[in-house]
Amino acid sequence: ALIAYARQEAWRIGDLRFKLDANQRGLYEEIQVCPRKRFVLECARRLGKSYLLCVMAIEVCLRKPRAWVVYGAPTIKEVAEIIAPIIDEVCADAPPECKPEFNSQTGHVEFPDGAAIVLFGCDDKRRANRGRGPGADFVVIDEAGFIPILGYVLHSIINPQTLTTGGRVLIASTPSDEPDHDFTKIAEQAEADGNFAHRTIY
């Protein structure tokens, strides 16, 4: 009963680290202590990267009323089949005053405090443009190494939303299949700048 009470209180203050395993917590801390606005994460598959990113996005919505969080993935299908179910899984034990609902008309995950997570696919420029909006408090671009229009997404959709807010931008992916992909260059630069984390399955 005490553990259940503590978890409910953790939801109310927006601290969901209890949902992360040791490896995810290590990445969480690396991201939090990095002073740069942008952080790049390159991980092998099956490490729970997307789960970690969803937890962090939800935390922002719990901590800041009316927060605007933008979450992009390579395709709208991945959003529907991978990201949305992870958000449901994370929020399964949320108390009623913290539990979000999915708005099928807007494609937003809406929280009782007015915060929202905007989910969008980057299949093409038209669909990626659904990620546009007001100033963003937090941005996640998941599996960036598999978005063919990554440069467009970052420069035309994400950068304008974080110019005045100072919103954090997490760019995460498993290694791209294409050596000359934009994500490879972004990851190399981030590694040199110190705003980069790398994890293999080992």
Side-chain angles (χ1 to χ4, degrees):
L2 201 56
I3 290 172
Y5 174 78
R7 288 177 173 173
Q8 295 287 289
E9 287 302 302
W11 268 102
R12 293 184 180 101
I13 64 172
D15 185 348
L16 304 183
R17 284 175 294 175
F18 71 90
K19 289 183 168 287
L20 305 176
D21 63 26
N23 184 52
Q24 291 166 332
R25 281 195 298 272
L27 289 169
Y28 179 101
E29 295 300 333
E30 281 189 56
I31 294 168
Q32 296 289 14
V33 300
C34 179
R36 290 180 177 268
K37 184 175 82 169
R38 177 184 284 191
F39 194 92
V40 179
L41 177 59
E42 187 175 46
C43 286
R45 295 189 184 280
R46 306 307 301 168
L47 284 177
K49 164 184 57 64
S50 294
Y51 188 94
L52 166 65
L53 297 173
C54 287
V55 164
M56 296 185 75
I58 292 166
E59 282 188 340
V60 173
C61 292
L62 295 172
R63 293 174 182 178
K64 182 178 180 181
R66 305 193 67 78
W68 188 261
V69 175
V70 180
Y71 198 119
T75 65
I76 195 66
K77 183 178 180 182
E78 286 188 45
V79 168
E81 296 182 356
I82 300 174
I83 306 306
I86 290 175
I87 292 175
D88 284 343
E89 180 184 349
V90 174
C91 295
D93 62 344
E97 65 270 26
C98 300
K99 203 176 190 72
E101 293 184 358
F102 180 72
N103 186 324
S104 58
Q105 292 185 331
T106 63
H108 300 172
V109 178
E110 299 176 348
F111 288 75
D113 65 356
I117 300 175
V118 180
L119 301 173
F120 69 102
C122 301
D123 310 63
D124 50 44
K125 289 182 179 180
R126 179 182 63 82
R127 286 188 170 170
N129 284 338
R130 293 178 183 172
R132 293 184 186 275
D137 298 291
F138 193 74
V139 176
V140 175
I141 303 298
D142 202 352
E143 291 298 0
F146 300 88
I147 298 176
I149 56 167
L150 180 60
Y152 175 81
V153 171
L154 293 175
H155 295 298
S156 299
I157 297 171
I158 302 308
N159 287 350
Q161 294 187 70
T162 57
L163 279 175
T164 58
T165 64
R168 202 76 192 270
V169 179
L170 302 186
I171 305 170
S173 187
T174 48
S176 176
D177 294 335
E178 304 169 18
D180 61 343
H181 192 279
D182 285 341
F183 176 74
T184 304
K185 292 176 247 179
I186 290 169
E188 289 173 352
Q189 185 61 54
E191 186 173 17
D193 292 341
N195 55 326
F196 174 81
H198 178 249
R199 294 288 190 278
T200 68
I201 195 66
Y202 301 105

